[in-house]
Amino acid sequence: MKAVIIIGDGMADRPVRELGRKTPLEVAKKPSLNWVAETGVCGIIDTIAPGVPPGSDTAHLALLGYDVFKVYTGRGALEAIGSEVEIQLGDVAFRCNFATVDDNFRVLDRRAGRIETQDASQLVRDLKRVTYEGAQVTFDNTVQHRAILLLRGSGLSAMVSDSDPQKVGKRVSEVTPLDDSAEAKKTAKITEDLLQRYHEILKSHPVNEERKKKGLLPANVVLCRGAGTLPQLTTLSLRYGIQAAAIAAMPLVQGVCKAAGMTLLNVRGATGTYDTDSRAKAKAAIQAMKSNDLVLVHMKATDIASHDGKAQRKIEMIEKIDDMVGHIVKNVDMDKTFVAVTADHTTSLLTREHEGDPVPVAITGPGVRTDEIREFDERACARGSLGRIRGVDLMPTLMNFLGKTKKFGA
Amino acid sequence: MKAVIIIGDGMADRPVRELGRKTPLEVAKKPSLNWVAETGVCGIIDTIAPGVPPGSDTAHLALLGYDVFKVYTGRGALEAIGSEVEIQLGDVAFRCNFATVDDNFRVLDRRAGRIETQDASQLVRDLKRVTYEGAQVTFDNTVQHRAILLLRGSGLSAMVSDSDPQKVGKRVSEVTPLDDSAEAKKTAKITEDLLQRYHEILKSHPVNEERKKKGLLPANVVLCRGAGTLPQLTTLSLRYGIQAAAIAAMPLVQGVCKAAGMTLLNVRGATGTYDTDSRAKAKAAIQAMKSNDLVLVHMKATDIASHDGKAQRKIEMIEKIDDMVGHIVKNVDMDKTFVAVTADHTTSLLTREHEGDPVPVAITGPGVRTDEIREFDERACARGSLGRIRGVDLMPTLMNFLGKTKKFGA
């Protein structure tokens, strides 16, 4: 027995007037997702806890069976792991954004107009030259405006604040220690110094001069957030005795999967944006099922559509996920495979933020106690037989179907 | 976005033969409560945990989002806070009842025939004269038979037993230490001594002689229970950044709300008994919504009806709550308001006690994932999309709708 988990990032939503008081999932044409619901057992999941808006990192940790209240050590380290930035115990890593500020250091755009990866890479080449006495500094970009800052050295701490004020119009925050330790003070100072030196380099960088000429926003500042250290997770392999692989384009989700001991599969055309090649992901998943017990397929674009407030786009992306699921279920042996579909959290088209509303889940496979639910959406699944469970319960539920959970007691 | 929570104390019940095997909620005419269910999302709540009968104090603490297993420090202190008896760290407070005992110190009536507040106040005037060496004693009455005993001094402890045997026909219990500490022993002795001296004063008090002449039960003893110390709660304001107010006539519920940092609103005609002016409460709630993010409206009479075993009375009180809810929803901007209706616990008309059965909940407001439930009662709501949640989850659920919960993770 094997299993595939398909996760639509931020796929769940609230009913919106624009869609006749329905959710994008309720409106989308999704025969394959509905097939999973109809042939399977449905429910709703609070990935963290009722009402708590999850981040994509904590949500995926929970869906992989980890108690996030115990294991979560901050976004930066997970993003670093996913970005193939080598991180060791004691290192402190930050998720960074190339962003645009005005002369008063107020944020004009938190993503420097979603700067192209190519431009960002050119900037990074020069930022990489900055060194710091007493700490080893690594700065790398990933996709578009996204980058990682990693500090290595003795006496560092992740207890430091973000420079990213998270809102346009606000001034860039100073990185400050979050406790009284010498380590936090030292780490805050190093980070703050580095970010200032990056700004000096960026504000007059030829790439940015070129961008301004083209009418593009300059990437004249680096914002950092989510200082984190290496999380210590018992791998899925150790925990359940399974081989597991993940197909995900986002470094943060890749980081979570890698930290859980999953093999990361690179799929050409998997971009983490609207144009991602979901068919290529499906094919990779089918292939990966041959040598793995569990394959997780993550799709980011649904979340982006909600953050952008684009209902029709979100529906299209759900239909893309549906096509991917359809391709997978038609090409694996469904007598020996469990397929679970869910979301990591609700992202509201209206608030454009992660929300704490539960997400739908459907699991099909041999021997599941099918219910009468025939549609995969927030409200239909809420009536399903799985009831309302927590994110941390999904993996044991699946591993139980695979015969991989251990009896507790005699 | 704002929210109102309406709590019918002990409103939930079990099906009874007298009502054709229905519950009072199932029989009552309640168009407004049903409207909340129909336009909202429904579920059931275990205020504490499945099968655990909650007190009104722990139930309200849980419904306000507190983990009662961590924060609960006994009823006495909460009742003291609600009764405007000034309580400090280190003080030990008891909830007390004026009661009637026979010559063998057996309880004839735990509430001295629900003695009028005026009579109780006269008795208290004389009991207040009793002092005790080594401790500062405060004794105050609130409504009817209810009173507060507060001890202040060094080396006191709330680990002492109740003198209230909780059942008619039983002998008054001795207050004993519940652990081996010198503090508990000292507190038990002081309390026991005080209660004996109160009895000496009460048994021949002119007010009681007068009561006996009128055929009323004398308040010849003070029963104490629920020794408690000041609870340390993070206020709702600190936790969610909201302004919150409460409309409740019962000191115990007032105490919980005050401890949570809510503003207590006094409403003329809100009596905490059958004759309470629920329309006045509705008007006060509507007014309070103008300057608060959250308003809690509590109604005690449903619980009293169950404790009295009066089914028709309970139905009437539910209809009174329905009228109150109707008045509120018609006079607030429902495009910007969430309305939640629930009970703090089940109080059974048959057992006349708090029971551990779950309570129904319905939440309406913009963007909730409506379900097909059209009636607000125990059995209809159990099929709702909210599923079965814990009391402690209600506040995050509502605050999530209000955009007041913080994202966990990135």
Side-chain angles (χ1 to χ4, degrees), chain B residues 179-207:
Chain B
D179 65 26
D180 279 339
S181 67
E183 290 80 5
K185 280 175 198 157
K186 177 180 172 183
T187 311
K189 180 166 180 4
I190 295 174
T191 312
E192 187 63 22
D193 288 352
L194 283 170
L195 296 182
Q196 281 182 22
R197 284 158 73 182
Y198 291 167
H199 176 60
E200 291 302 318
I201 293 170
L202 292 171
K203 67 182 181 187
S204 55
H205 196 282
V207 167

Side-chain angles (χ1 to χ4, degrees), chain B residues 4 6-8 11 32-33 247-249 267-287 295-302 313 315-329 331:
Chain B
V4 193
I6 293 117
I7 301 176
M11 181 160 63
S32 298
L33 290 170
I247 297 166
V267 177
R268 182 194 284 265
T271 59
T273 53
Y274 295 137
D275 64 0
T276 197
D277 186 346
S278 53
R279 215 24 114 78
K281 284 177 136 173
K283 284 177 188 159
I286 294 158
Q287 184 63 28
V295 175
L296 181 150
V297 189
H298 171 261
M299 173 99 156
K300 176 73 178 169
T302 33
R313 222 354 121 77
I315 292 168
E316 276 169 39
M317 293 305 118
I318 290 168
E319 293 174 352
K320 218 164 167 174
I321 290 174
D322 186 79
D323 175 80
M324 183 171 80
V325 170
H327 198 71
I328 291 171
V329 297
N331 288 283

Side-chain angles (χ1 to χ4, degrees), chain B residues 90 109 310 331 344:
Chain B
D109 190 308
K310 292 180 177 163
N331 288 283
D344 59 345

Side-chain angles (χ1 to χ4, degrees), chain A residues 56-58 356-358 379 388, chain B residues 369-370 386 400 405 407-408 410:
Chain A
S56 282
D57 46 6
T58 50
D357 311 48
R379 286 187 276 198
R388 184 171 186 163
Chain B
R369 296 170 180 163
T370 51
L386 269 182
N400 172 52
T405 41
K407 186 161 71 170
F408 178 54

Side-chain angles (χ1 to χ4, degrees), chain A residues 12-15 44 48 50-58 68-69 72 75 252 346 354-358 378-379 382-383 388 390, chain B residues 335 338 366-372 383-390 393 396-403 405-410:
Chain A
D13 213 313
R14 293 170 176 171
I44 50 175
I48 309 293
V52 178
S56 282
D57 46 6
T58 50
V68 291
F69 297 109
Y72 186 60
R75 166 182 198 144
L252 184 58
T346 292
H354 295 192
E355 299 294 351
D357 311 48
E378 299 85 352
R379 286 187 276 198
R383 301 191 309 271
R388 184 171 186 163
R390 297 283 169 108
Chain B
D335 284 338
F338 290 85
V368 301
R369 296 170 180 163
T370 51
D371 52 33
E372 80 281 20
R383 300 191 312 272
S385 292
L386 269 182
R388 183 170 185 162
I389 60 174
R390 296 284 170 106
D393 296 324
T397 299
L398 276 175
M399 290 301 111
N400 172 52
F401 288 139
L402 264 59
T405 41
K406 285 197 193 79
K407 186 161 71 170
F408 178 54

